[in-house]
């Protein structure tokens, strides 16, 4: 960051924390959706066929359901961690 011409300060920590929250939410959201589907299923497990059916019936963005709610939760948490620790 310093080599790019940015000075270390609150604005850099703010931008880094928001970017980290964005990446964290995007990576973990599909896993949260799968976990929720497994917990809600009656069969007790999730097979590859079920995942394929989810994509077929609801589209590939089915795995990003609840992304905004997760970011609203993780964004401020990540911000506080980066700024204060």
């Amino acid at each position: 960051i310093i080599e790019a011409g940015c000075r270390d300060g609150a604005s850099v920590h703010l931008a880094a924390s928001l970017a980290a929250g964005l990446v964290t939410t995007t990576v973990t959201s599909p896993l949260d959706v799968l976990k929720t589907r497994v917990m809600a299923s009656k069969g007790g497990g999730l097979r590859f066929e079920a995942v394929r059916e989810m994509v077929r019936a609801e589209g590939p963005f089915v795995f990003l359901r609840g992304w905004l709610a997760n970011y609203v939760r993780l964004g401020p948490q990540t911000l506080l961690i980066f700024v204060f620790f």
Side-chain angles (χ1 to χ4, degrees):
I1 292 175
I2 294 172
E3 292 175 3
C6 297
R7 285 194 248 165
D8 189 20
S11 62
V12 171
H13 286 266
L14 176 71
S17 65
L18 291 176
L22 185 93
V23 170
T24 301
T25 303
T26 304
V27 169
T28 60
S29 185
L31 299 173
D32 285 339
V33 170
L34 289 174
K35 179 191 71 152
T36 302
R37 296 286 174 107
V38 166
M39 292 174 69
S41 72
K42 294 180 183 177
L46 188 67
R47 297 184 313 264
F48 184 71
E49 295 84 26
V51 173
R52 193 174 355 168
E53 179 62 25
M54 285 171 51
V55 173
R56 189 193 66 72
E58 302 176 53
F61 292 110
V62 66
F63 298 109
L64 295 177
R65 287 213 169 167
W67 186 92
L68 184 60
N70 283 336
Y71 187 71
V72 167
R73 178 179 58 88
L74 283 174
Q77 174 187 348
T78 309
L79 178 108
L80 293 174
I81 289 171
F82 267 68
V83 171
F84 293 110
F85 292 107

